[in-house]
Amino acid sequence: MNKYSKYITYILLLLVVLVQLYGMFLPFTGDAGKYAAISKNIYQNREFWDLSIHGSPYYQKPPFMMWLSSAAYFIFGTINNFTTRLFPVIFTLLLLYSTYQLGAYFYSEKIGKLAALMVGTTQMFFLYNTDLHTDVILATCTTTAIWQLAVYIDKRKWYHFVIGFVFIGLAMLTKGPIGLAVPVFAIGAHLLLSQNYKMIFRLEWLAGIAIILLMLYPHFKVLYHHFGWEGPKFFLWTNNAGRISGTYKGNNTDPFFYIYNLTVFTIPWALFFMGGLIKKIISIPKSIRAKNVEYYTIGGALILIFILSFAKTKSPNYFYPAIPLLAILAANLFNEITKTRNIKLIVIGQNIINGMLWISSLGVLLWMFPVKNSYIWVIIGFMFIFQIFILFNKQSQKAFIINSALVAIIVLNTTLNMNVLPQLFDYQASLHAAKIYNNEANNDATFYTYRYYQFEMFFYAKTNGYKIIDEGHKDDPVYISFDEAIKDKGAWFLANEHSYQQIKESCNKLEKTYSFEHYYLTDINWKFLNPKTRQSVLKKIYLVKTFDE
């Protein structure tokens, strides 16, 4: 890699940071809106363990990610999109560092750096640091735990043991038992395949379990207080095992769901992620008796993906803990291939992926969501000049692959963060409703959501609100009935078309009524993406105010 190639790489990595930084100012929707609202309640109520939302206790996720979000509120005294994302995103830098350390420990510093670069520039990293999910925090904790415990197994230093189990505890405080399962898969597979059976049965593992239980005890106490034994049971069993079996949620039976999602969410490095995984699987029979071979990466990633593939509830974010482990295998494959002279097929394959990202981005900008911010074309033009320079600059094939891939992923996420997502958020009724409510409602006003299934209103509204019981959706405990809420004179309601009619019939006349075109972004399909059919799938959402008397 010549000096110009290095400078180009550094500039492109700076642009990656800037694109991610832009995404930190975007609004929230879906689950991210829920986590933001809970974080807001932590700050306002000064209650770190007893989580709540819409006036009711919250139990579906443990508190660690919400602690990270609310930490910025305590430091800066400001609640907004940026501060909510600030510490979760900073925490994910530890994911890059732990990936680097794990890759460097078992392979080389070069592979560790490349693996960290791949993780930090996958589409998954961009997406879930903008649309906040617990899974990126989970992956950070599990990767750090695997790294520390792998070093402990080799060097037997007590502090690696303690740090490793503390991060398993934090992983479980992020998303439950899956935070323990992934390190167990990784460590167990390594010890079994390397035939280190004595280490499996050492008593110090019991001390690690004690560390975990000590960290989880306050959370169990709160769950038991609100829900009896059903609370700890939900944490330990229902929320994970129930999703796998389908008894709690889900009916997806596609066993290849995570395979093709892996190719999408690991772009622009999908060739190396898939190739590294296949290469490692093929090498297992030959390497079992060999010394100094690691199986942490393949054990943690493959077992997780295998179990998730047969789970009835599926979502791409579920396999996030496998990404840093697979990135190490991808970086190792990349390093081996680029040492050979004949890598034309790889270069061609990478160019096809990069070309598809360019074409997709331009298609979105010109047709699907036409540009409203003209500055985007300046950025796209600048990136095109970069791409031309990379094509004609004399450099190694390794540098060419890395820099071309970085350009393509920057173009895609510039398109998403600066153009697509802002236009998508125009179809989020609660964002418009919150602005009206904050401008027109009294400072002591109360609002209710009724059959509106997202949570942004609880984050963006200036006063507290409540969710009305809907018998068709029992995911969260809700204690306010419609009959109770409608007696609250002068209250505001965010409702869908059906519940709006019910409110109107109960009140005879409403003081204020606003309507919005809405689409749930968690259910995006081709009809919505197609400008010609988009209008046909939009729903009406209403914000209404009842009379004070």
Side-chain angles (χ1 to χ4, degrees):
M1 192 182 278
N2 63 37
K3 64 178 182 179
Y4 294 112
S5 297
K6 286 185 178 180
Y7 292 148
I8 290 171
T9 303
Y10 295 148
I11 292 171
L12 291 174
L13 289 176
L14 176 61
L15 292 175
V16 165
V17 173
L18 292 177
V19 172
Q20 184 68 74
L21 185 63
Y22 189 93
M24 292 178 68
F25 293 90
L26 294 171
F28 294 106
T29 190
D31 284 346
K34 181 194 292 186
Y35 303 143
I38 296 167
S39 303
K40 176 183 175 182
N41 286 343
I42 289 174
Y43 173 66
Q44 292 180 335
N45 301 334
R46 300 303 200 260
E47 180 54 68
F48 294 92
W49 289 101
D50 199 352
L51 306 185
S52 64
I53 189 171
H54 51 60
S56 304
Y58 177 77
Y59 68 99
Q60 289 194 347
K61 295 288 186 299
F64 184 56
M65 191 183 80
M66 282 72 86
W67 288 348
L68 290 172
S69 287
S70 62
Y73 308 157
F74 287 96
I75 294 173
F76 302 109
T78 303
I79 300 174
N80 56 41
N81 298 325
F82 179 83
T83 54
T84 302
R85 290 185 174 95
L86 180 59
F87 283 111
V89 170
I90 289 175
F91 188 77
T92 61
L93 297 179
L94 177 60
L95 173 62
L96 307 185
Y97 181 72
S98 296
T99 303
Y100 157 70
Q101 288 288 357
L102 195 57
Y105 186 74
F106 284 112
Y107 294 91
S108 69
E109 186 174 350
K110 182 189 294 185
I111 289 172
K113 288 180 179 179
L114 183 57
L117 182 146
M118 286 180 167
V119 170
T121 55
T122 59
Q123 184 54 32
M124 203 166 205
F125 194 81
F126 278 101
L127 177 62
Y128 290 124
N129 271 350
T130 299
D131 181 26
L132 283 186
H133 274 63
T134 55
D135 303 272
V136 64
I137 307 299
L138 171 67
T140 302
C141 294
T142 55
T143 305
T144 306
I146 292 168
W147 160 42
Q148 287 294 302
L149 291 175
V151 175
Y152 167 74
I153 288 170
D154 285 348
K155 298 185 177 181
R156 308 301 296 278
K157 299 287 182 67
W158 67 269
Y159 52 87
H160 292 298
F161 179 89
V162 172
I163 294 172
F165 275 98
V166 165
F167 272 93
I168 290 178
L170 291 176
M172 295 185 74
L173 283 172
T174 301
K175 204 168 181 178
I178 188 69
L180 172 62
V182 174
V184 167
F185 296 156
I187 294 165
H190 178 78
L191 294 179
L192 284 171
L193 292 174
S194 61
Q195 302 179 32
N196 188 358
Y197 305 124
K198 290 182 179 180
M199 193 67 197
I200 296 175
F201 299 104
R202 293 189 68 88
L203 292 177
E204 59 254 41
W205 298 123
L206 296 177
I209 295 173
I211 293 172
I212 295 171
L213 291 176
L214 186 64
M215 294 177 68
L216 294 179
Y217 171 74
H219 185 58
F220 285 157
K221 185 177 179 181
V222 169
L223 290 175
Y224 180 79
H225 171 72
H226 285 296
F227 310 106
W229 288 112
E230 284 300 314
K233 178 186 174 185
F234 181 87
F235 175 89
L236 291 169
W237 183 257
T238 308
N239 197 29
N240 287 164
R243 292 175 191 267
I244 293 172
S245 65
T247 56
Y248 175 56
K249 279 186 178 181
N251 56 4
N252 189 324
T253 57
D254 181 1
F256 301 105
F257 177 87
Y258 288 103
I259 299 300
Y260 50 73
N261 271 280
L262 184 63
T263 63
V264 172
F265 282 91
T266 59
I267 57 171
W269 314 108
L271 281 177
F272 301 101
F273 270 81
M274 293 302 297
L277 174 61
I278 293 170
K279 179 178 178 294
K280 187 69 173 180
I281 292 172
I282 293 173
S283 71
I284 289 176
K286 295 180 180 179
S287 63
I288 285 180
R289 295 186 180 277
K291 294 182 179 180
N292 300 320
V293 176
E294 67 83 21
Y295 301 101
Y296 294 97
T297 50
I298 192 66
L302 191 60
I303 297 173
L304 176 65
I305 292 173
F306 179 80
I307 292 173
L308 291 176
S309 295
F310 291 95
K312 296 296 178 64
T313 304
K314 293 183 172 67
S315 179
N317 50 288
Y318 290 175
F319 71 82
Y320 207 133
I323 295 298
L325 304 176
L326 293 176
I328 294 170
L329 302 179
N332 186 47
L333 176 65
F334 182 95
N335 186 60
E336 290 180 0
I337 288 176
T338 51
K339 285 180 179 178
T340 64
R341 293 183 178 181
N342 188 15
I343 61 169
K344 290 183 179 179
L345 287 178
I346 295 297
V347 173
I348 291 171
Q350 189 63 53
N351 284 338
I352 291 172
I353 291 175
N354 297 341
M356 291 173 63
L357 297 183
W358 271 95
I359 292 169
S360 300
S361 299
L362 293 174
V364 167
L365 293 171
L366 293 170
W367 175 69
M368 190 175 290
F369 292 97
V371 173
K372 291 185 177 181
N373 183 349
S374 59
Y375 289 111
I376 293 176
W377 289 121
V378 176
I379 298 171
I380 298 299
F382 180 69
M383 298 311 299
F384 182 73
I385 293 171
F386 249 102
Q387 184 62 68
I388 296 299
F389 183 78
I390 291 168
L391 283 171
F392 291 99
N393 179 40
K394 290 183 179 180
Q395 57 190 314
S396 67
Q397 290 178 314
K398 177 180 179 180
F400 174 78
I401 292 172
I402 290 174
N403 290 333
S404 295
L406 290 178
V407 168
I409 201 68
I410 290 168
V411 168
L412 176 64
N413 283 282
T414 298
T415 300
L416 292 174
N417 285 0
M418 294 188 68
N419 186 68
V420 176
L421 291 177
Q423 293 193 53
L424 290 179
F425 288 128
D426 283 342
Y427 296 99
Q428 297 304 283
S430 57
L431 301 180
H432 302 294
K435 290 180 181 178
I436 294 172
Y437 178 82
N438 290 341
N439 288 331
E440 299 187 13
N442 296 330
N443 290 331
D444 60 351
T446 302
F447 73 88
Y448 299 88
T449 64
Y450 189 25
R451 291 176 180 156
Y452 179 80
Y453 305 120
Q454 293 178 175
F455 302 87
E456 303 88 9
M457 191 75 175
F458 298 104
F459 177 66
Y460 291 108
K462 65 181 179 180
T463 64
N464 293 328
Y466 302 90
K467 183 179 179 183
I468 297 173
I469 295 171
D470 177 7
E471 293 300 325
H473 290 75
K474 297 181 178 180
D475 289 346
D476 296 308
V478 179
Y479 302 134
I480 302 293
S481 68
F482 176 75
D483 291 338
E484 292 175 289
I486 206 65
K487 293 176 184 177
D488 190 354
K489 302 300 181 183
W492 294 70
F493 292 81
L494 187 65
N496 67 6
E497 292 184 73
H498 178 76
S499 51
Y500 165 68
Q501 294 297 329
Q502 189 177 351
I503 294 167
K504 195 162 65 169
E505 290 171 4
S506 300
C507 294
N508 294 321
K509 191 176 181 182
L510 299 170
E511 182 177 336
K512 295 181 180 181
T513 301
Y514 301 92
S515 66
F516 315 96
E517 291 184 325
H518 179 78
Y519 190 84
Y520 288 103
L521 298 186
T522 52
D523 300 325
I524 283 183
N525 57 32
W526 177 247
K527 283 188 175 181
F528 175 74
L529 294 176
N530 185 347
K532 294 182 179 180
T533 56
R534 186 173 300 151
Q535 199 66 31
S536 68
V537 296
L538 299 180
K539 305 294 183 182
K540 285 286 187 182
I541 297 293
Y542 297 85
L543 176 69
V544 301
K545 181 182 183 293
T546 60
F547 277 98
D548 294 331
E549 296 180 358

